[in-house]
Amino acid sequence: MAQRGVLVIAHGSSKPEWVQLVDEAVSLVRLDLPVEIGFLEMVPGRAIADAVQSLRRRGVDEIIAVPLFVSSGSTHIEEIGYLLGVISNPRLSFETQPIPLGIPVHYTPAMDGHPLIGEIVTERARKLSRHPEEEVVVLVGHGSEMPGFREKWEEGAKKLAAQVQHALGFRQTVYASLHPDHLHEVVRTWSAQHRVLVLPLFLSEGYFTKKVIPSKLAGLDYAYSGETYLPHPLISRWIEEMVRDAIGQSRCAPSAATQ
């Protein structure tokens, strides 16, 4: 029987409070398996390779890698898959080389339109809403201008929009991205006749939620709290569900390093 371990992968930040939010969410994960966090960048001593080594020292010989990312359309998802040897021919070029793992890796999907994430976004919308039948919700994500990646961003966001709409009965729930940038246009159009609620599809508060989004909407009438996915206990539950889904599959897909 293989000894499985969980590798939660987050982007990383130079801000300790950002890292702390991720640490707290992962600390609340309840699984009878070793769990480590690896950061893609900006967190010295806690890189993905460091987390892999820690799992190996704990006797793990099969890894379930869970990317703590909003969308599978993020180019970082491709980069992480390449680093883990799961994606042998990435569509993008990366300076770093794959981590020599030598053990099987199962790479789970990102958050996308998962029902648990939909619950979080719905909760954020409910807090801002007064009369949902008269309001329009605009979900705003980072997005991507690259073919193949942009579509994944849109697919996940549309699933979240459908969940929010079904749960609360807004006039409309739509998606706008920063890349390509049509946030201002979308909010300006809808706010001409309706109260608009703007909800960020971001893991944690930061430059985009505090600076970029408000600056792009300057002069428009809208409601915005800037609340993100974290902190929220359902993020921990989402990680657990991703791991259980992976275990429930017949076998973990081997990384390129083991073939």
Side-chain angles (χ1 to χ4, degrees):
M1 178 69 69
Q3 172 59 53
R4 297 186 179 98
V6 179
L7 172 62
V8 179
I9 303 169
H11 181 273
S13 172
S14 60
K15 297 184 180 300
E17 57 269 27
W18 193 100
V19 177
Q20 182 179 353
L21 281 175
V22 172
D23 284 338
E24 289 174 351
V26 176
S27 73
L28 296 175
V29 170
R30 298 293 176 256
L31 293 166
D32 190 22
L33 296 171
V35 180
E36 295 286 347
I37 309 170
F39 294 93
L40 187 59
E41 58 184 11
M42 292 189 285
V43 187
R46 302 188 64 187
I48 297 172
D50 298 319
V52 169
Q53 290 178 5
S54 181
L55 287 171
R56 295 300 301 270
R57 287 194 295 268
R58 297 173 69 177
V60 166
D61 52 19
E62 188 174 279
I63 290 176
I64 299 171
V66 182
L68 202 61
F69 283 78
V70 169
S71 174
S72 294
S74 169
T75 56
H76 292 308
I77 295 296
E78 189 104 344
E79 180 179 5
I80 293 166
Y82 174 67
L83 290 174
L84 295 177
V86 176
I87 299 175
S88 56
N89 296 299
R91 290 167 286 180
L92 307 172
S93 60
F94 304 109
E95 295 181 0
T96 52
Q97 296 298 313
I99 300 168
L101 298 174
I103 59 175
V105 175
H106 184 100
Y107 192 28
T108 76
M111 296 174 178
D112 297 319
H114 193 281
L116 290 176
I117 305 304
E119 288 187 40
I120 296 174
V121 179
T122 298
E123 181 181 308
R124 306 306 193 210
R126 184 181 289 109
K127 290 171 66 175
L128 285 177
S129 179
R130 297 173 185 168
H131 304 286
E133 67 279 359
E134 302 172 2
E135 298 166 333
V136 173
V137 174
V138 178
L139 306 181
V140 54
H142 184 279
S144 175
E145 298 185 31
M146 301 184 64
F149 295 90
R150 175 177 179 174
E151 291 79 4
K152 288 186 177 181
W153 267 101
E154 293 174 349
E155 180 183 356
K158 287 177 180 178
K159 287 181 179 179
L160 292 176
Q163 292 175 61
V164 172
Q165 185 65 27
H166 177 76
L168 300 178
F170 287 103
R171 174 79 176 187
Q172 187 68 271
T173 303
V174 299
Y175 168 65
S177 67
L178 300 177
H179 300 278
D181 184 5
H182 46 72
L183 174 61
H184 184 96
E185 177 185 355
V186 171
V187 174
R188 177 181 58 80
T189 300
W190 283 108
S191 63
Q193 297 184 24
H194 305 283
R195 183 170 185 259
V196 172
L197 317 181
V198 177
L199 301 179
L201 304 181
F202 284 80
L203 179 64
S204 183
E205 291 184 2
Y207 176 70
F208 284 99
T209 60
K210 293 182 178 181
K211 301 291 184 181
V212 176
I213 293 174
S215 69
K216 290 184 179 295
L217 298 179
L220 298 179
D221 187 16
Y222 65 100
Y224 178 72
S225 68
E227 280 192 285
T228 51
Y229 293 1
L230 288 174
H232 200 289
L234 287 183
I235 294 298
S236 307
R237 303 292 79 78
W238 173 80
I239 294 172
E240 295 169 1
E241 196 158 308
M242 290 297 97
V243 172
R244 293 189 180 110
D245 285 349
I247 292 174
Q249 297 183 16
S250 60
R251 62 184 179 87
C252 285
S255 68
T258 65
Q259 296 177 339

